[in-house]
Amino acid sequence: MSIKHWPEQERPREKLIQQGAGALSDSELLAIFLRTGTQGISAVELARQVLIQFGGLRSLLSASREEFCQGFGLGDAKYTQLQAVLEMSKRHLQEQLMRETVFTSAEHVRTYLSSQLRHSPREVFAVLFLDTQHRLIRYQELFMGTIDAAAVYPREVVKAALQYNAAAVILAHNHPSGVAEPSQADISITDKIKRALDLVDVRLLDHFVVGDGSPVSLAERGLV
């Protein structure tokens, strides 16, 4: 049955307008993005099949162009649309952080870091450089790693902090496995970077580990 024949409160677009985007399932959100299904299959059913094929929304969003275009009902047009949507979301969140006092907007920081790092298939180590009011000066991905490790050099963090005249920094990295639990190596490198930044009078405010759920704050655990 076509979606237009569904009860109005069950149609994804109408449901979003009435209840907000948070009320929709992954397949309903994806169906709005896909817009149409294929012959004999509604957009929602197509979305369900795509999510099953990729193993979930996270894998779909992080898929390469080649992987994405192999999906049922997908292709270059949908891939470019998706990349544009993701990039607009990142830029919108970045503009919010540049206008706000970052350290008093922890949820915005978490949302922004998730949008930047959650879907990366490799481990990425990034830094938020902040001014004296803890507003964002720049977000920079400093180190790229393999699936399970990134070589992080405290001197490079210090060098970049001095380059941007930062008064404080927030560290972040992702766990491609999706498990955001900080490792002993994460705690160790945080301490090394903190001691290096102390020498140039730059504060380390936090270190977030990004996985499938809400990013984990080392500061909230008393580890910074």
Side-chain angles (χ1 to χ4, degrees), residues 29-167:
L29 288 170
L30 183 58
I32 291 177
F33 171 77
L34 293 173
R35 295 178 57 194
T36 60
T38 59
Q39 187 173 6
I41 301 177
S42 70
V44 172
E45 182 55 35
L46 175 59
R48 290 191 185 117
Q49 292 187 24
V50 168
L51 290 176
I52 291 172
Q53 180 181 353
F54 281 86
L57 194 57
R58 182 175 185 267
S59 297
L60 174 65
L61 296 179
S62 61
S64 67
R65 173 173 170 254
E66 182 180 1
E67 292 169 338
F68 183 91
C69 292
Q70 289 176 353
F72 182 59
L74 305 178
D76 278 337
K78 295 297 183 188
Y79 179 77
T80 56
Q81 285 178 327
L82 179 60
Q83 295 309 306
V85 169
L86 292 174
E87 184 60 29
M88 284 191 293
S89 175
K90 291 176 183 179
R91 294 185 187 188
H92 168 65
L93 290 167
Q94 187 172 41
E95 287 179 6
Q96 282 186 312
L97 292 183
M98 293 180 78
R99 292 194 302 267
E100 297 173 347
T101 302
V102 169
F103 204 52
T104 59
S105 306
E107 287 312 307
H108 284 169
V109 175
R110 281 184 161 93
T111 301
Y112 176 68
L113 291 174
S114 290
S115 74
Q116 292 286 352
L117 299 173
R118 176 177 291 173
H119 306 299
S120 174
R122 296 188 298 168
E123 188 162 326
V124 179
F125 191 96
V127 184
L128 296 173
F129 297 97
L130 312 175
D131 65 14
T132 56
Q133 301 299 313
H134 294 169
R135 292 172 301 200
L136 182 64
I137 299 172
R138 185 179 178 89
Y139 165 87
Q140 186 170 354
E141 296 179 354
L142 286 180
F143 309 106
M144 304 288 289
T146 62
I147 193 68
D148 58 4
V152 178
Y153 301 99
R155 66 178 180 272
E156 294 298 326
V157 178
V158 172
K159 179 181 177 181
L162 293 175
Q163 177 186 347
Y164 299 125
N165 195 28

